[in-house]
Amino acid sequence: MVPEINLVDPDTYQLHGAPHDQFDWLRAHAPVFWHADGGAEGWPGFWAVTKHDDVAYISRHPELFSSRQRLALFGEIDDAGVEMQRLMMLNMDPPQHTRQRAFVNRGFTPRMIGRLEKHIREICDSLIDDVAPRGEADFVRDIAAPLPLYVICELIGAPQQDRDRIFDLSNRLVGTDDPEYRGSPEEGMLAAAELDAYAGELAARRSEQPADDIVTRLLQPDDAGEVLTADEFDLFFLLLTVAGNETTRNAASGGMLSFFEHPQQWQRLRDDPGLVPTTAEEIVRWVSPVNLFRRTAMREIELAGQRIAEGDKVVVFYASANRDEDVFAAPRQFDIGRDPNPHVGFGGGGPHFCLGRHLAGLELRVLFEALVERMPGITLDGEVSRLRSNFINGIKHMPVRFTPSEGH
């Protein structure tokens, strides 16, 4: 019997998380599935791609499946909006994407990331110090959200007093379907405009006072003497502050929830902290912080036996690909020792493979090392509140409890 398929209802994600029962059926019976249009919601029908190998193929062939044509996010916008958003690296194809990524790579060298490890440990210790005397906390608000935000602010050279402002704007941008973060449909646009303005202020400051941060590097000419335009810089800044913040935040909070749901795995990590590296990778596979991205077929092509027409909307579902039975042994098990672990939680390869994956991995490793050492008795202490979004598998609030002596 064919179940009812709706992979994009944000209410489903808010109530239950990713619809893995639907994903399971689709991988087995219709791995490239024509998903009905949104009716009153207004989005057109699309091909839902749920198998690991197909997601990887689409990711590695931008000449066949374009991010630029109708952008990489699921929703529909008018042609004028499309043209503007094409200035964002997320919505580029090679060779434009290759050019802009070369700029950005300067700030994500192994040296730049490696030198952050000590500072990330200091941030984790400080966050735990702040909540330790209370014996309770909101894991998202007090630990998972501040960590990547503080690291990104460090990378871009944003003053500490601006952290809360950037955090609020990031929430309003990503949570456009969630009433807690969006008071009106226009607030997402206003948040983007505020971040653009902030980026311009930071660029002006760094032009006069260069520093050892990503913003300074982005403002410098490349080997051919070209520089990013003001619009290109502003949109990359927006992408960096949102993507660098949201993905790690939701991997960390989703990972902690996974341990609450699988206490034997938490005990396993307590007994063997050397499992932290594989733990971080398994958390990204299991949580899949980014659920989907959109591509547009550039010509007629057959994929998994289905004919996809030129111009068709194609949506890859990472949360499904990361539970693919043909790739992962026991994919419905949370296994912190899983190795190898060829998940697509940072993308399926190709030009859009996550630029910050090494930074995100470092943040997760350091955080869970600190948690298992300093808060080994942490437990869930109430209801988990999920983000209303089909794009981000996010958690907004997660109350936790621990003995007040923990963390010292």
Side-chain angles (χ1 to χ4, degrees):
M1 180 178 175
V2 181
E4 180 181 352
I5 301 295
N6 185 340
L7 304 180
V8 291
D9 179 5
D11 289 332
T12 296
Y13 288 85
Q14 183 177 34
L15 291 172
H16 309 294
H20 284 293
D21 54 342
Q22 297 180 47
F23 287 147
D24 291 348
W25 189 92
L26 288 172
R27 288 195 305 274
H29 299 96
V32 179
F33 174 79
W34 182 252
H35 197 293
D37 63 38
E41 296 294 326
W43 41 263
F46 61 91
W47 293 103
V49 180
T50 52
K51 292 284 287 180
H52 184 282
D53 287 353
D54 296 330
V55 168
Y57 182 82
I58 289 171
S59 303
R60 295 170 188 273
H61 290 278
E63 75 282 5
L64 301 176
F65 299 95
S66 170
S67 299
R68 180 181 185 275
Q69 190 72 11
R70 293 300 302 176
L71 311 185
L73 298 183
F74 180 81
E76 303 297 323
I77 63 175
D78 60 30
D79 290 344
V82 167
E83 197 60 38
M84 181 62 182
Q85 291 298 316
R86 282 174 177 163
L87 296 174
M88 183 181 288
M89 192 168 67
L90 182 71
N91 299 313
M92 291 179 179
D93 295 329
Q96 293 89 350
H97 179 275
T98 308
R99 167 187 171 266
Q100 188 161 118
R101 184 153 176 144
F103 275 96
V104 181
N105 277 337
R106 302 168 178 175
F108 287 89
T109 62
R111 183 184 74 84
M112 286 288 288
I113 300 305
R115 76 176 195 178
L116 284 171
E117 182 168 354
K118 179 175 182 292
H119 185 59
I120 292 172
R121 292 186 188 281
E122 291 170 350
I123 292 173
C124 289
D125 283 337
S126 175
L127 293 171
I128 293 173
D129 288 343
D130 287 345
V131 300
R134 304 202 312 252
E136 61 182 14
D138 180 332
F139 187 84
V140 181
R141 183 193 65 213
D142 296 326
I143 296 175
L147 170 60
L149 175 69
Y150 293 176
V151 173
I152 287 296
C153 286
E154 176 84 7
L155 274 174
I156 63 178
Q160 289 192 11
Q161 62 266 26
D162 292 347
R163 289 171 174 174
D164 289 343
R165 179 184 175 193
I166 293 172
F167 178 62
D168 175 62
L169 293 173
S170 174
N171 280 338
R172 284 159 54 192
L173 272 171
V174 173
T176 52
D177 286 328
D178 194 299
E180 182 175 341
Y181 295 138
R182 185 192 70 177
S184 70
E186 293 76 28
E187 282 204 24
M189 295 177 62
L190 290 173
E194 284 189 52
L195 269 176
D196 279 351
Y198 184 87
E201 296 167 8
L202 198 57
R205 195 180 311 148
R206 283 292 171 264
S207 294
E208 295 181 0
Q209 300 175 320
D212 190 12
D213 57 32
I214 284 181
V215 172
T216 300
R217 284 166 171 75
L218 286 172
L219 294 173
Q220 296 169 350
D222 66 9
D223 294 339
E226 295 186 22
V227 295
L228 293 177
T229 68
D231 284 339
E232 286 175 332
F233 175 83
D234 291 352
L235 285 168
F236 175 72
F237 181 87
L238 185 151
L239 177 64
L240 177 65
T241 52
V242 173
N245 175 14
E246 293 289 338
T247 51
T248 304
R249 176 209 305 198
N250 292 306
S253 53
M256 195 70 253
L257 178 61
S258 302
F259 278 120
F260 293 146
E261 295 171 340
H262 302 85
Q264 73 283 2
Q265 293 295 310
W266 183 247
Q267 186 61 50
R268 186 181 177 191
L269 185 60
R270 290 179 61 181
D271 293 341
D272 184 5
L275 288 171
V276 159
T278 52
T279 295
E281 296 299 318
E282 179 68 348
I283 284 172
V284 175
R285 181 194 77 90
W286 186 258
V287 175
S288 297
V290 175
N291 181 48
L292 61 82
F293 269 123
R294 175 208 187 140
R295 299 291 185 261
T296 302
M298 296 302 289
R299 63 172 175 82
E300 183 177 314
I301 189 171
E302 185 174 302
L303 185 69
Q306 289 289 349
R307 186 187 70 82
I308 297 174
E310 179 180 350
D312 278 358
K313 183 175 183 176
V314 179
V315 180
V316 293
F317 287 88
Y318 302 114
S320 175
N322 280 334
R323 305 285 179 98
D324 191 334
E325 302 82 356
D326 291 339
V327 175
F328 301 98
R332 299 300 290 269
Q333 291 182 15
F334 179 59
D335 175 8
I336 64 169
R338 187 181 298 276
D339 187 25
N341 191 345
H343 65 77
V344 292
F346 293 114
H352 286 279
F353 189 68
C354 179
L355 186 68
R357 64 101 60 229
H358 295 298
L359 177 58
L362 176 60
E363 289 172 328
L364 291 172
R365 291 194 300 273
V366 172
L367 174 61
F368 280 93
E369 280 178 0
L371 289 170
V372 80
E373 176 186 348
R374 300 190 58 191
M375 306 178 82
I378 188 171
T379 58
L380 186 63
D381 188 42
E383 187 175 345
V384 174
S385 174
R386 293 184 178 273
L387 183 69
R388 186 180 185 273
S389 171
N390 57 30
F391 175 45
I392 297 291
N393 286 327
I395 296 174
K396 297 187 296 183
H397 304 289
M398 185 165 68
V400 296
R401 181 170 294 278
F402 42 88
T403 57
S405 59
E406 285 189 341
H408 289 289

